[in-house]
Amino acid sequence: MSNDARQLHAVVTGSSGGIGKAICEDLLANGWRVTGVDLSAPTIAHGAFAHQALDLTHGGQTDAIATGLQDVDALVHAAGVLRVGPLGQLDAQAGALMWQLHVDAASRLADALVPAMARRGFGRVVFIGSRVAQGLPGRGQYAATKAAVIAMARSWAVEVAPNGVTVNVVSPGATATPMLKDPARAGSAPRMPPMGRLIEPQEIAALVSYLLSPAAAAITGQNLNICGGSSLSQ
């Protein structure tokens, strides 16, 4: 990382609620400048926070916005949506929506922002995945998109490791966010982690902030579960 004194700049998607908002707030508290990307109106008022309205499922719009972002030191893709359905009842439109938001948007953002990080010799990328990437009944389409994110992160991590850029995935278990109350997930209740409570968004944010720090320079290409023990039996 350069020795200049400029404020580090992170781009965080899904910034208006849930995990994305918690990440923005944690980074702001740690002195970062944050550009929050979300189709919903901003919910953060802070001098170092800027809101960018964007429908991440719109590829052309995402490309245009991403190429206009300057001096980005970190990218956190936290925007997500869950649609459920067993075999025989799969919804192709829902599957396409999840692919566009979780995989295609991540690809477009990384393609636009990471090369400049590599040229400067410092950068951090964190994708918010899911423990469900290991597979779960009724969530095959969702799991497939999150597994694809892990594969992309591992591939890109190797590409940019020599340039001081890390790429990691943080995969939460059931988390206390508005997504749990989404009618679209009716019939697919969250599984309580063995620790006896849901994961808090702030716990995920703390891990993401660490991965974005200089101290995490040796951690790359990893999928880190934060699941309260839910993954221990698999």
Side-chain angles (χ1 to χ4, degrees):
M1 184 170 53
S2 64
N3 293 322
D4 61 27
R6 74 178 183 84
Q7 191 174 27
L8 291 172
H9 177 204
V11 172
V12 181
T13 69
S15 59
S16 294
I19 294 170
K21 181 179 180 180
I23 292 169
C24 289
E25 291 174 334
D26 198 80
L27 290 174
L28 290 166
N30 283 290
W32 285 72
R33 177 167 65 95
V34 177
T35 297
V37 177
D38 203 304
L39 185 59
S40 300
T43 56
I44 295 174
H46 191 287
F49 179 81
H51 175 74
Q52 175 63 65
L54 172 61
D55 180 356
L56 287 162
T57 66
H58 190 294
Q61 189 180 125
T62 301
D63 288 340
I65 295 297
T67 55
L69 293 169
Q70 302 294 322
D71 297 323
V72 176
D73 302 288
L75 166 64
V76 181
H77 185 43
V81 65
L82 174 63
R83 298 291 183 267
V84 301
L87 280 173
Q89 301 177 35
L90 296 181
D91 183 335
Q93 189 172 16
L97 170 66
M98 290 186 286
W99 185 269
Q100 290 169 340
L101 184 56
H102 302 157
V103 183
D104 187 61
S107 299
R108 293 174 184 274
L109 291 166
D111 196 50
L113 300 177
V114 175
M117 298 180 195
R119 287 192 295 271
R120 291 196 301 270
F122 175 83
R124 297 286 185 266
V125 180
V126 174
F127 298 127
I128 300 302
S130 172
R131 195 186 70 83
V132 177
Q134 301 173 44
L136 196 67
R139 302 192 197 178
Q141 292 167 301
Y142 178 79
T145 65
K146 293 300 188 176
V149 168
I150 294 170
M152 291 194 308
R154 288 177 59 84
S155 301
W156 295 337
V158 177
E159 292 182 29
V160 296
N163 305 103
V165 180
T166 66
V167 187
N168 291 291
V169 180
V170 170
S171 292
T175 305
T177 70
M179 184 183 286
L180 292 185
K181 301 177 182 178
D182 190 337
R185 69 174 295 159
S188 181
R191 297 187 177 186
M192 187 66 67
M195 71 176 181
R197 65 168 176 82
L198 299 175
I199 312 301
E200 292 295 334
Q202 292 77 13
E203 294 173 315
I204 299 165
L207 176 56
V208 171
S209 287
Y210 173 70
L211 291 173
L212 266 54
S213 73
I219 303 173
T220 193
Q222 302 303 304
N223 175 40
L224 294 92
N225 288 314
I226 179 166
C227 63
S230 296
S231 61
L232 296 177
S233 60
Q234 296 185 344

